[in-house]
Amino acid sequence: MTAIPQPENTALAEVASALRSAGRILAMCHIAPDGDAIGSLLGLAWVLRSAGARPPGAIALVCADGVPEQYRYLPGAHQVLTQAPPGPWDAVVTLDASDTRRLGDPYRPEAFGGATVINVDHHVTNLYFGDLNYVDPGAVATSEIIVALADALPAEIASEAAICLLTGIATDTLGFRTSNVTPRVLLTSVRLMQAGADLSDIIARTLTYRPLNDMRLWGLALGDIRQAGGAAWVAVSPEMRARAGAAEGAESGLASFLLGAPEADVAAVLSENTAGNVEISFRSKPGFDVSEVALALGGGGHPQASGCTVPGPLAAAEARVVPLLVAAATPRNAR
Ligand SMILES: [Mn+2]
């Protein structure tokens, strides 16, 4: 057997020490941000502030797509910029992104002025693109890693940080319903609640939140569920989105909903965006792996939740994706 070289993680203490000594820090999360992207971004900022005073402007927070409506309750959400302010920076921290493309335009190493790039993530498909890399696929959320980082700095987790970090953990676990939720995750969450995070408020604002026009779009998509073997999927076109009056991103959560069907081992939502590309979300039941499907199509993610973007139109994307999806639904012992 040929040994496959495994990328090495930097010790968390070394990441903490790099952050302690960095004067100017730029932190960024991935495009089309979810609760963990925004939660870990803002949570890190609060943790860094409590680790030591820095002059105003010393910490900049960037997400190319801004903060979605349902996450604007997060303390500090208004501080998130869509473009990186001018460098130089001492450290650039990337959060919840398995590759640099996921970071969008703000990831421009030539503008960082020699900053140390610190890649903090929990995706098993992470490409270890940083100067320092702390990737823990055992963590349910990047926000869970930020709790460990706070302890390593050390830094107190006050209520602002706790709200952001519990939001990341609660959303990435779909409200503590995913198979990777262990007693450790619950204990960390208890700690964040004790620090001042209101769990039921977080769940209501993120997971239960669903504008009527989003529901109208779900209705259109669910009216035409496609199925082959153990795979179930739906397609969302720009026309459907316009008819429902729904914004891009309205289908978030739809793949997990489809997976609730006992007939589905794997589920997907194919959504054509206004640029003509098709964004695909994959979900699978434990024992099935959709990270490989996403990776084969240039994306990434976790065994139970992954995603990619492929060229449109929808029919072409569907023809490419469905055979992979059906193969992923075949149980391992039947391969
Ligand atoms: Mn995440």
Side-chain angles (χ1 to χ4, degrees), residues 30 34 36-37 96 121-123 140-143 168 172 302:
H30 61 76
D34 54 18
D36 188 31
D96 204 40
D121 185 28
H122 70 125
H123 292 92
V140 295
T142 298
S143 295
D172 260 19
H302 312 283

Side-chain angles (χ1 to χ4, degrees), residues 57-144:
I59 301 173
L61 308 177
V62 178
C63 176
D65 290 334
V67 179
E69 173 69 31
Q70 70 266 39
Y71 304 122
R72 290 194 193 142
Y73 70 94
L74 291 173
H78 62 280
Q79 296 160 2
V80 177
L81 310 168
T82 53
Q83 290 179 331
W89 305 96
D90 298 311
V92 172
V93 187
T94 67
L95 295 156
D96 204 40
S98 52
D99 61 72
T100 58
R101 259 187 330 157
R102 277 289 278 166
L103 295 160
D105 293 336
Y107 191 82
R108 292 174 55 231
E110 68 277 11
F112 294 163
T116 303
V117 173
I118 307 176
N119 165 18
V120 179
D121 185 28
H122 70 125
H123 292 92
V124 71
T125 50
N126 192 285
L127 298 181
Y128 287 76
F129 54 84
D131 298 310
L132 306 181
N133 299 281
Y134 190 82
V135 179
D136 179 6
V140 295
T142 298
S143 295
E144 189 190 1

Side-chain angles (χ1 to χ4, degrees), residues 226-322:
R226 297 145 201 202
Q227 184 186 2
W233 67 98
V234 294
V236 174
S237 65
E239 294 72 32
M240 288 161 72
R241 204 176 282 114
R243 227 178 105 199
E248 281 189 25
E251 59 277 11
S252 114
L254 182 51
S256 297
F257 183 77
L258 264 183
L259 192 65
E263 298 91 336
D265 299 322
V266 301
V269 173
L270 291 78
S271 174
E272 186 174 332
N273 62 28
T274 44
N277 293 316
V278 178
E279 293 167 12
I280 311 176
S281 300
F282 299 104
R283 295 292 181 277
S284 73
K285 293 198 169 126
F288 301 88
D289 185 352
V290 285
S291 69
E292 292 170 26
V293 179
L295 203 57
L297 295 165
H302 312 283
Q304 260 68 68
S306 65
C308 65
T309 303
V310 299
L314 267 174
E318 193 173 355
R320 225 176 125 192
V321 167
V322 167

